[in-house]
Amino acid sequence: MSVHRAERRERAPRPDQSSRRVRVVVIEPNDVAAVPDRLDEEFDVAARLPMPPRAEDVAAVLTRVRPRLLLLKHSLESVDERLMTSCLSAGVEILVLARPVYGLLRAPAMARFGGLPWIRLGSGAGRPRHERLKRAFDLAVILLSAVVVIPLIAAITAVVSFTGPPFYLQERVGAGGRLFRLVKFRTMRVGAEQATGPVLAQPDDARITRLGRWLRRSRLDELPQLWNVVRGEMSLVGPRPERPEFIAGFERLPHYDLRHLIRPGLTGIAQLTGGYAATVEDKLRCDLLYLNCRSMRVDLALLLLTVVELFRGFPRG
């Protein structure tokens, strides 16, 4: 859609509204399936643009009408770096329609406008100060939990050793697309992929041992990855690192490469909501949500939820 067509949908605010109401631009699906809203009752809606948004059109409208907010009536995966760059340059905050999974985040990330739930987004780019605090937080948590974690790792190592090597090393993709060797407890029979090659694990995978099934359900098989966190290859919270063999196919999904802007994590929103049964698209949606809303408060909330799930059993294994 051209800028000129977008202009015809702009509406000049009334004089009595401009001083009282926040000016916004709304991007919405241009079809009958669009979710109705009451945004005009709460905001000075200066323009409504159709999906998918063209970055150049959005930039032109933002420069002209100077809104405070951009409300995207679509899910998180429709946000790309060009749209975020346009909004950052204009000092405009982005909100997208919230999905049920977004409920893991609490205010101020969540908001309700026009009868609809919204999630506030931040920049997807790296934040050096936040990353330094996150690194210090990770190391502090590991140090404080060592008195419990080290004996637990030792006990699991001894039990798994009865059926073969206790640890399993696997190449994964980390921040910046760099490869590293992830360590975890072995949960499958020895040589499980010799005949098949790399295969994604399934909820009821026949290759998983009886002990391995319990370790996976409790996520205790991930405990050795604390070594990867100490080495700086991973963080406690973040997108789960994937194998390079699979990423070649996953990169067909829009914005999949944005996951590699930050260090991968032991736990995250996808693990707390979908487990191994979650689709690649669902996991990506959760990872993009975390990427745009991450903070120390969010990390702490997700870690506390992870501890709760250790006792309850994670979603669908």
Side-chain angles (χ1 to χ4, degrees):
M1 178 174 179
S2 67
V3 177
H4 301 293
R5 289 183 62 191
E7 288 176 349
R8 289 199 290 271
R9 299 195 65 181
E10 294 177 17
R11 188 177 66 187
R14 300 191 192 100
D16 61 329
Q17 287 181 321
S18 58
S19 60
R20 293 185 293 109
R21 295 189 178 186
V22 173
R23 182 174 296 185
V24 304
V25 168
V26 180
I27 298 177
E28 57 191 346
N30 193 21
D31 54 41
V32 295
V35 179
D37 63 65
R38 301 191 302 275
L39 293 172
D40 294 279
E41 299 175 9
E42 300 182 35
F43 296 108
D44 170 20
V45 180
R48 288 182 180 264
L49 306 178
M51 285 287 297
R54 288 179 49 186
E56 55 269 27
D57 292 352
V58 173
V61 171
L62 295 183
T63 300
R64 185 164 46 257
V65 305
R66 298 185 179 279
R68 185 182 302 177
L69 304 175
L70 184 142
L71 305 177
L72 183 62
K73 293 177 65 177
H74 209 269
S75 52
L76 189 69
E77 63 268 26
S78 60
V79 180
D80 60 23
E81 282 297 296
R82 294 194 306 160
L83 179 62
M84 295 198 74
T85 299
S86 296
C87 289
L88 286 171
S89 300
V92 177
E93 187 176 13
I94 304 176
L95 291 89
V96 299
L97 276 183
R99 291 174 177 262
V101 65
Y102 300 176
L104 285 175
L105 303 177
R106 301 292 184 258
M110 297 287 293
R112 192 170 187 87
F113 301 130
L116 300 173
W118 304 85
I119 188 79
R120 299 176 185 272
L121 302 188
S123 170
R127 306 177 209 171
R129 182 174 177 274
H130 171 77
E131 294 304 321
R132 288 194 296 270
L133 286 173
K134 184 178 176 70
R135 176 69 176 152
F137 175 77
D138 288 347
L139 295 177
V141 170
I142 291 175
L143 182 62
L144 292 173
S145 62
V147 66
V148 174
V149 170
I150 291 177
L152 182 58
I153 289 178
I156 296 174
T157 300
V159 175
V160 178
S161 295
F162 283 112
T163 60
F167 299 110
Y168 184 67
L169 298 177
Q170 195 173 71
E171 200 170 61
R172 298 290 179 104
V173 179
R178 293 182 292 273
L179 298 178
F180 70 97
R181 299 191 78 186
L182 175 143
V183 57
K184 62 189 302 184
F185 283 120
R186 182 178 54 81
T187 58
M188 293 186 179
R189 63 179 184 270
V190 177
E193 292 188 335
Q194 283 183 352
T196 62
V199 178
L200 282 171
Q202 302 297 321
D204 298 312
D205 202 311
R207 301 170 298 169
I208 301 174
T209 64
R210 183 179 303 178
L211 175 61
R213 198 170 303 281
W214 177 78
L215 289 174
R216 279 176 171 250
R217 177 149 186 90
S218 63
R219 296 303 191 271
L220 291 176
D221 63 319
E222 314 287 3
L223 273 181
Q225 288 160 44
L226 291 173
W227 175 243
N228 293 114
V229 177
V230 171
R231 287 171 54 88
E233 297 161 333
M234 293 180 62
S235 180
L236 291 177
V237 181
R240 285 297 296 162
E242 289 289 356
R243 301 170 69 174
E245 298 91 345
F246 300 142
I247 284 187
F250 295 161
E251 286 181 337
R252 61 180 172 76
L253 299 173
H255 322 311
Y256 188 87
D257 57 327
L258 296 181
R259 299 173 76 255
H260 300 142
L261 289 174
I262 58 176
R263 284 194 298 266
L266 264 72
T267 188
I269 298 175
Q271 286 66 48
L272 291 167
T273 57
Y276 290 106
T279 65
V280 176
E281 291 80 6
D282 287 339
K283 290 178 182 178
L284 176 59
R285 188 176 298 115
C286 292
D287 293 339
L288 293 176
L289 170 64
Y290 175 75
L291 179 69
N292 285 284
C293 302
R294 68 193 190 279
S295 68
M296 298 309 301
R297 178 186 56 78
V298 168
D299 278 12
L300 182 59
L302 293 175
L303 281 176
L304 291 175
L305 284 169
T306 299
V307 173
V308 171
E309 296 301 328
L310 282 173
F311 296 96
R312 289 172 41 183
F314 283 75
R316 294 182 288 281

